[in-house]
Amino acid sequence: MERDLNRPAAPLPGPVGGEGPQTWFLRLLLRDAPAVEYERPLMDARAAGWDAGRLAELETAKVLALEVRSVLADRRRRESELAALYETASDLAGMRDLDRVLHAIVDRARNLLGTDTAYLTLRDQERDDGGTSMRVTSGSVSARFQRLRLSPGDGLGGLVAQTALPYVTANYLNDARFLHTDDIDAGVSEEGLVAILGVPLQLNGRVIGVLFAANRRERPFSHEEVALLGSLAAHASIAIDNAGLLEDTRAALEELGEVNQRLTEHSAGVERAAAAHERFTDLVLRGGGVADVEAAVSEVLGGRAHLVGEPPPVAGAGRAAADGAGDGAGEGEEADRRAVEEAVRAARIGGRVVQGERVCAAPVMAGGEPLGSLVLEGVRLDAADLRILERAAMVIALLLVVRRSASEAEHRVRTALLDALLDGPGTDGADGAWSDTLRHRAARLGVDLDAPHEAVAAEAPGAHAGRLASAALHLAETGGGLAGARGPVTVLVLPHGEGAAAAKALSAAVNAQVTAGVAGTRPGPAGVREAFAEARRCLRALAALGRRGEVARPEELGFLGLLLGGGRDVRGFVEATLGPVLAYDAEKGTALTETLRAYFAHGGSPAKAKDALHVHVNTVTQRLERVGRLLGRDWQAPQRALEIQTALRLHTLVNGGVDLEGGPGRDGW
């Protein structure tokens, strides 16, 4: 009969029984007896009167047996955990719904570690700051806890997400290793959590979330438990990625299915339209343009087709659009002209083909951007023919977009060349290879850098930035020049004599006030950089002088223009002329400089200056006496007075941000 291994062991046999101590403990191991029963052989041996040597041998056998028992227990536990992980991986692989996958992960984590709760946070998709938000919980009872968001570095979970390392605490609220926040601590307290273990969910080296296991009482998590939850997190990351891919695929298939269904529903009425579209496509492939498509539409549908509405300047869509607009406005009766305008307006507003009395209009659009309207006059179309007109408008839109893309690519090349010119060495001799390279690049764009050019530095604070840049690029392309931007300043380099006209054209294009400085270049790439610096100084001078909306060259600013035209020690001049007064104002907090400006501005009359300064005339007189002591008694002599007035004007310009020396601006004064 089979022996019951769970029954208490019988008293140990004596030495005459032929069994040694090892055999007794092997029987206990075979029976998987509790650890306490390993003391019984020693107790029986002592009762039987064994000597000390034999008892020591028995004690050694007991210790070895308990170690073997512990190893076997660890292996059984590890086998159980591995089996659970394999089972989890198998279950997760079979799931297709992301929510089911997430719930399965936290439930398995809670069961494997035997914790009160388990929960999972995932990285925010809308806020890409590295933070995670609570997504799924198991065993949670607090609504506040279930809505927690963990910013990078906040709390245990935020630290796990930030460092991609596991963290464990036996008592979270009393653990000073973590950055505690009121929101997180309140949620943890409301949930009653004490011991928390968190491991990262990683995919392709990137943390996508954190998996937690937590208890409502103190509990030290072992290394084995940390490794177990980490293994589960590795399986979970793959499962989450697979579920996300499947959802994306399913959504894409559903969308494709809907599109296919709509196409199928309309297939019966589009056969003729498809044939016409094939003809239009063939025209494009053979190198045809907008005029060729217009002619094909007129032939297929009858009537007269033309494109109305000029695209934006950057598109360079030019001839057909502009010519079409002119034809529509100049031919036929006034009533026909109004009918065309109304149809075009309705098509642009509605974004679809519109049919009036003997006039049809289809919007020409790309990505929601209106590029014009394809107008067909002289016929009335049925539904199928209206689709042909729509297809023709699509083909024209494609032609215009391709033309614009080519133009924008050229614009980028022109902008990059201008950036290289403005950022390069200060002189052509500084780097001959640099200059030669830029000359070759410019030549490919039809720009001769050794020919006379003008640099324009323009600002239009009230204009739309994109429209201003587009207009500048269009002027550069059509004028054989370059365009770009330096912060708020729009830069143009155009053939000599065209700078001022281009600045005025910018103002008209953006319908806003444009202030511009214009300076001529010397031959060579480095000359462009120098001319831009001079034009920018001129621009800032115009702004400081209150001459917004004007276009000027340095030489048009009189004596100030001479200073703008080259490097001058302007600060040294102002310091030498007004230094004692400026220093006195800075030290005493007085207004001697302001008094001097008012005095000269009112013809040297203290009585008039006091009104501008809103002080008593005696105050003005006292201040001027102080100025005389600081600058010398001859400060009102004509020559000194001119120098002082010039220094005051330069001081005003420098305070207005104008770099009169061509170097970087400095604060002060």
Side-chain angles (χ1 to χ4, degrees), residues 240-583:
I240 290 172
D241 185 49
N242 289 339
L245 291 175
L246 287 171
E247 282 194 356
D248 292 343
T249 302
R250 187 184 302 113
L253 289 174
E254 290 177 356
E255 183 178 353
L256 288 174
E258 293 176 0
V259 172
N260 183 64
Q261 182 179 357
R262 290 196 296 268
L263 291 175
T264 302
E265 292 173 354
H266 290 85
S267 61
V270 299
E271 291 183 1
R272 185 183 174 198
H277 183 65
E278 183 177 354
R279 179 176 177 179
F280 300 149
T281 303
D282 183 62
L283 282 175
V284 174
L285 294 177
R286 287 190 286 106
V290 173
D292 297 311
V293 177
E294 291 172 346
V297 172
S298 300
E299 181 181 345
V300 172
L301 301 179
R304 186 178 68 87
H306 56 95
L307 182 64
V308 173
E310 185 175 1
V314 70
R319 191 214 58 79
D323 291 352
D327 292 345
E331 293 184 3
E333 300 290 337
E334 180 67 18
D336 293 337
R337 185 185 64 80
R338 287 197 300 268
V340 170
E341 291 178 351
E342 291 175 1
V344 168
R345 186 180 304 109
R348 288 175 178 171
I349 294 174
R352 57 184 302 175
V353 65
V354 171
Q355 180 163 224
E357 187 63 33
R358 295 178 59 82
V359 176
C360 297
V364 179
M365 306 182 69
E369 178 188 357
L371 303 178
S373 296
L374 179 59
V375 175
L376 183 66
E377 299 183 68
V379 295
R380 187 168 181 82
L381 306 178
D382 57 22
D385 289 343
L386 288 175
R387 284 194 290 273
I388 293 177
L389 190 64
E390 287 180 335
R391 294 290 182 90
M394 291 172 58
V395 172
I396 290 177
L398 176 62
L399 288 172
L400 295 179
V401 168
V402 170
R403 186 185 302 173
R404 179 169 61 183
S405 297
S407 178
E408 288 175 346
E410 182 176 345
H411 292 334
R412 287 193 293 271
V413 174
R414 290 179 184 273
T415 301
L417 176 58
L418 180 59
D419 288 340
L421 286 168
L422 299 183
D423 295 334
T427 62
D428 289 339
D431 190 344
W434 171 81
S435 299
D436 292 341
T437 299
L438 293 185
R439 283 186 174 90
H440 290 311
R441 289 173 59 183
R444 288 197 293 269
L445 296 173
V447 178
D448 182 4
L449 294 180
D450 292 318
H453 282 80
E454 286 183 336
V456 180
E459 283 185 336
H464 185 277
R467 187 175 300 171
L468 180 63
S470 179
L473 289 169
H474 179 64
L475 288 171
E477 180 184 6
T478 56
L482 306 172
R486 274 294 192 270
V489 178
T490 298
V491 186
L492 277 167
V493 176
L494 297 169
H496 184 73
E498 298 183 10
K504 295 176 182 178
L506 282 179
S507 181
V510 300
N511 193 26
Q513 192 178 66
V514 174
T515 307
V518 182
T521 71
R522 66 176 179 81
V528 174
R529 183 180 184 183
E530 296 170 0
F532 167 66
E534 188 172 344
R536 182 167 56 180
R537 290 197 297 272
C538 185
L539 168 64
R540 290 180 177 174
L542 289 172
L545 294 173
R547 296 170 60 175
R548 294 286 185 182
E550 294 189 22
V551 179
R553 293 179 172 82
E555 57 267 23
E556 296 172 352
L557 299 180
F559 177 70
L560 296 178
L562 295 178
L563 293 175
L564 294 171
R568 298 290 189 272
D569 187 11
V570 177
R571 294 180 183 273
F573 171 77
V574 174
E575 186 67 26
T577 307
L578 295 175
V581 174
L582 296 173

Side-chain angles (χ1 to χ4, degrees), residues 116-287:
D116 296 327
T117 63
Y119 49 99
L120 183 146
T121 62
L122 289 180
R123 185 181 292 271
D124 291 338
Q125 297 298 325
E126 297 180 355
R127 300 170 58 180
D128 190 16
D129 61 352
T132 60
S133 296
M134 193 72 70
R135 181 66 182 270
V136 179
T137 63
S138 177
S140 172
V141 295
S142 167
R144 181 173 187 172
F145 179 78
Q146 295 167 12
R147 294 193 300 268
L148 280 181
R149 183 184 187 277
L150 286 72
S151 298
D154 289 352
L156 183 146
L159 197 56
V160 172
Q162 185 180 51
T163 63
L165 296 173
Y167 279 88
V168 61
T169 178
N171 192 322
Y172 173 75
L173 293 177
N174 295 329
D175 197 330
R177 293 178 300 159
F178 309 109
L179 178 61
H180 292 267
T181 66
D182 294 340
D183 190 38
I184 296 176
D185 286 359
V188 171
S189 298
E190 187 173 302
E191 187 64 48
L193 300 182
V194 178
I196 303 176
L197 165 62
V199 298
L201 293 167
Q202 299 189 74
L203 190 65
N204 298 326
R206 179 174 179 267
V207 176
I208 62 173
V210 181
L211 178 61
F212 300 86
N215 259 16
R216 295 189 174 91
R217 60 186 182 281
E218 285 198 18
R219 166 185 172 174
F221 290 94
S222 66
H223 293 295
E224 291 78 9
E225 289 174 319
V226 175
L228 176 60
L229 192 62
S231 298
L232 179 59
H235 289 300
S237 299
I238 298 174
I240 290 172
D241 185 49
N242 289 339
L245 291 175
L246 287 171
E247 282 194 356
D248 292 343
T249 302
R250 187 184 302 113
L253 289 174
E254 290 177 356
E255 183 178 353
L256 288 174
E258 293 176 0
V259 172
N260 183 64
Q261 182 179 357
R262 290 196 296 268
L263 291 175
T264 302
E265 292 173 354
H266 290 85
S267 61
V270 299
E271 291 183 1
R272 185 183 174 198
H277 183 65
E278 183 177 354
R279 179 176 177 179
F280 300 149
T281 303
D282 183 62
L283 282 175
V284 174
L285 294 177
R286 287 190 286 106

